[in-house]
Short mmCIF file of all heavy atoms in Angstrom, two decimals:
data_model
loop_
_atom_site.label_atom_id
_atom_site.label_comp_id
_atom_site.label_asym_id
_atom_site.label_seq_id
_atom_site.Cartn_x
_atom_site.Cartn_y
_atom_site.Cartn_z
N ALA N 1 -16.50 -18.70 -14.16
CA ALA N 1 -15.96 -17.51 -14.38
C ALA N 1 -14.51 -17.30 -14.39
O ALA N 1 -13.91 -16.51 -15.03
CB ALA N 1 -16.46 -16.50 -13.12
N ASP N 2 -13.74 -18.29 -13.81
CA ASP N 2 -12.31 -18.22 -13.73
C ASP N 2 -11.62 -19.09 -14.80
O ASP N 2 -10.37 -19.34 -14.72
CB ASP N 2 -11.75 -18.66 -12.42
CG ASP N 2 -12.28 -20.05 -11.99
OD1 ASP N 2 -13.28 -20.60 -12.67
OD2 ASP N 2 -11.75 -20.65 -11.04
N GLY N 3 -12.47 -19.53 -15.81
CA GLY N 3 -11.92 -20.45 -16.82
C GLY N 3 -11.92 -21.91 -16.46
O GLY N 3 -11.34 -22.63 -17.19
N GLY N 4 -12.35 -22.15 -15.25
CA GLY N 4 -12.54 -23.56 -14.87
C GLY N 4 -13.81 -24.19 -15.55
O GLY N 4 -14.51 -23.46 -16.34
N ARG N 5 -14.13 -25.43 -15.05
CA ARG N 5 -15.30 -26.15 -15.66
C ARG N 5 -15.91 -26.90 -14.46
O ARG N 5 -15.25 -27.44 -13.60
CB ARG N 5 -14.94 -26.97 -16.69
CG ARG N 5 -14.47 -26.19 -17.98
CD ARG N 5 -14.24 -27.12 -19.29
NE ARG N 5 -13.90 -26.46 -20.38
CZ ARG N 5 -12.68 -26.19 -20.88
NH1 ARG N 5 -11.64 -26.61 -20.04
NH2 ARG N 5 -12.47 -25.53 -21.97
N VAL N 6 -17.23 -27.15 -14.68
CA VAL N 6 -17.93 -27.90 -13.69
C VAL N 6 -18.79 -28.95 -14.60
O VAL N 6 -19.15 -28.63 -15.70
CB VAL N 6 -18.91 -27.11 -12.85
CG1 VAL N 6 -18.12 -26.31 -11.92
CG2 VAL N 6 -19.84 -26.35 -13.66
N ALA N 7 -19.00 -30.18 -13.97
CA ALA N 7 -19.95 -31.09 -14.53
C ALA N 7 -21.34 -30.98 -13.83
O ALA N 7 -21.44 -30.86 -12.71
CB ALA N 7 -19.45 -32.45 -14.12
N PHE N 8 -22.40 -30.84 -14.58
CA PHE N 8 -23.74 -30.63 -14.22
C PHE N 8 -24.57 -31.93 -14.64
O PHE N 8 -24.61 -32.20 -15.73
CB PHE N 8 -24.29 -29.40 -14.75
CG PHE N 8 -25.67 -29.07 -14.31
CD1 PHE N 8 -26.13 -29.22 -13.06
CD2 PHE N 8 -26.65 -28.68 -15.33
CE1 PHE N 8 -27.35 -28.81 -12.61
CE2 PHE N 8 -27.89 -28.26 -14.96
CZ PHE N 8 -28.27 -28.41 -13.55
N GLY N 9 -25.22 -32.52 -13.55
CA GLY N 9 -25.88 -33.72 -13.91
C GLY N 9 -27.17 -33.90 -13.26
O GLY N 9 -27.50 -35.04 -12.74
N ALA N 10 -28.00 -32.84 -13.28
CA ALA N 10 -29.29 -32.83 -12.50
C ALA N 10 -30.36 -33.43 -13.36
O ALA N 10 -31.25 -32.59 -13.88
CB ALA N 10 -29.71 -31.49 -11.96
N ILE N 11 -30.35 -34.66 -13.51
CA ILE N 11 -31.29 -35.28 -14.53
C ILE N 11 -32.76 -35.34 -13.93
O ILE N 11 -33.64 -34.98 -14.54
CB ILE N 11 -30.88 -36.80 -14.77
CG1 ILE N 11 -29.63 -36.73 -15.61
CG2 ILE N 11 -32.01 -37.43 -15.66
CD1 ILE N 11 -29.00 -38.11 -15.96
N GLU N 12 -32.90 -35.75 -12.60
CA GLU N 12 -34.15 -35.92 -11.93
C GLU N 12 -34.68 -34.48 -11.65
O GLU N 12 -34.00 -33.61 -11.32
CB GLU N 12 -33.97 -36.76 -10.81
CG GLU N 12 -33.71 -38.18 -11.02
CD GLU N 12 -32.19 -38.47 -11.32
OE1 GLU N 12 -31.31 -37.47 -11.31
OE2 GLU N 12 -31.82 -39.63 -11.56
N ASP N 13 -36.04 -34.43 -11.65
CA ASP N 13 -36.70 -33.22 -11.23
C ASP N 13 -36.40 -32.62 -10.03
O ASP N 13 -36.14 -31.43 -9.90
CB ASP N 13 -38.23 -33.39 -11.50
CG ASP N 13 -38.77 -33.66 -12.85
OD1 ASP N 13 -37.98 -33.33 -13.84
OD2 ASP N 13 -39.81 -34.15 -13.01
N GLY N 14 -36.19 -33.46 -8.91
CA GLY N 14 -35.98 -32.97 -7.58
C GLY N 14 -34.61 -32.36 -7.59
O GLY N 14 -34.29 -31.40 -6.90
N PHE N 15 -33.67 -33.09 -8.22
CA PHE N 15 -32.21 -32.38 -8.23
C PHE N 15 -32.17 -31.25 -8.99
O PHE N 15 -31.38 -30.26 -8.65
CB PHE N 15 -31.27 -33.54 -8.86
CG PHE N 15 -31.28 -34.80 -8.08
CD1 PHE N 15 -30.80 -35.94 -8.63
CD2 PHE N 15 -31.69 -34.96 -6.83
CE1 PHE N 15 -30.66 -37.15 -8.03
CE2 PHE N 15 -31.77 -36.20 -6.19
CZ PHE N 15 -31.19 -37.32 -6.76
N PHE N 16 -32.86 -31.08 -10.06
CA PHE N 16 -32.87 -29.89 -10.94
C PHE N 16 -33.45 -28.77 -10.07
O PHE N 16 -32.97 -27.62 -10.05
CB PHE N 16 -33.55 -30.05 -12.17
CG PHE N 16 -33.33 -28.94 -13.17
CD1 PHE N 16 -32.16 -28.90 -13.93
CD2 PHE N 16 -34.22 -27.94 -13.36
CE1 PHE N 16 -31.91 -27.90 -14.82
CE2 PHE N 16 -34.04 -26.93 -14.24
CZ PHE N 16 -32.76 -26.94 -14.96
N ALA N 17 -34.54 -29.06 -9.34
CA ALA N 17 -35.09 -28.06 -8.53
C ALA N 17 -34.24 -27.54 -7.51
O ALA N 17 -34.18 -26.23 -7.13
CB ALA N 17 -36.49 -28.59 -7.97
N GLU N 18 -33.47 -28.41 -6.88
CA GLU N 18 -32.51 -27.93 -5.88
C GLU N 18 -31.38 -27.09 -6.49
O GLU N 18 -30.93 -26.11 -6.01
CB GLU N 18 -31.85 -29.18 -5.16
CG GLU N 18 -30.93 -28.76 -4.05
CD GLU N 18 -30.81 -29.91 -3.03
OE1 GLU N 18 -31.59 -30.97 -3.21
OE2 GLU N 18 -29.97 -29.58 -2.18
N PHE N 19 -30.99 -27.43 -7.79
CA PHE N 19 -30.03 -26.63 -8.50
C PHE N 19 -30.62 -25.21 -8.62
O PHE N 19 -29.94 -24.18 -8.39
CB PHE N 19 -29.66 -27.23 -9.85
CG PHE N 19 -29.03 -26.23 -10.77
CD1 PHE N 19 -27.61 -25.86 -10.64
CD2 PHE N 19 -29.73 -25.66 -11.80
CE1 PHE N 19 -27.08 -24.96 -11.46
CE2 PHE N 19 -29.12 -24.73 -12.57
CZ PHE N 19 -27.82 -24.35 -12.42
N LEU N 20 -31.85 -25.13 -9.12
CA LEU N 20 -32.49 -23.76 -9.38
C LEU N 20 -32.54 -23.05 -8.10
O LEU N 20 -32.15 -21.76 -8.00
CB LEU N 20 -33.84 -24.01 -9.98
CG LEU N 20 -33.99 -24.49 -11.30
CD1 LEU N 20 -35.39 -24.77 -11.68
CD2 LEU N 20 -33.18 -23.63 -12.35
N ALA N 21 -32.98 -23.55 -6.98
CA ALA N 21 -32.99 -22.89 -5.64
C ALA N 21 -31.58 -22.42 -5.20
O ALA N 21 -31.59 -21.37 -4.63
CB ALA N 21 -33.53 -23.92 -4.76
N LEU N 22 -30.67 -23.16 -5.31
CA LEU N 22 -29.26 -22.72 -4.79
C LEU N 22 -28.56 -21.75 -5.74
O LEU N 22 -27.86 -20.87 -5.34
CB LEU N 22 -28.37 -24.01 -4.63
CG LEU N 22 -28.81 -24.91 -3.41
CD1 LEU N 22 -28.01 -26.16 -3.37
CD2 LEU N 22 -28.72 -24.11 -1.97
N SER N 23 -28.76 -21.97 -7.02
CA SER N 23 -28.00 -21.18 -7.98
C SER N 23 -28.78 -19.76 -8.28
O SER N 23 -28.02 -18.92 -8.56
CB SER N 23 -27.94 -21.89 -9.43
OG SER N 23 -29.13 -22.02 -9.95
N GLY N 24 -29.98 -19.62 -7.86
CA GLY N 24 -30.66 -18.46 -8.15
C GLY N 24 -31.11 -18.39 -9.58
O GLY N 24 -31.64 -17.32 -10.00
#
C-alpha cells in the first residue's frame, strides 16, 4: 500500500494455507 514491496514464497501447501489464514 505504501509503495514498498514484499517477497512471497509460499510454495508448499501448508505454508500457503498459513498465508491465507493470516492475510484473510
Side-chain angles (χ1 to χ4, degrees):
D2 60 342
R5 293 185 175 92
V6 294
F8 180 42
I11 297 175
E12 294 82 359
D13 290 340
F15 299 162
F16 194 80
E18 184 154 357
F19 164 76
L20 294 177
L22 290 171
S23 67

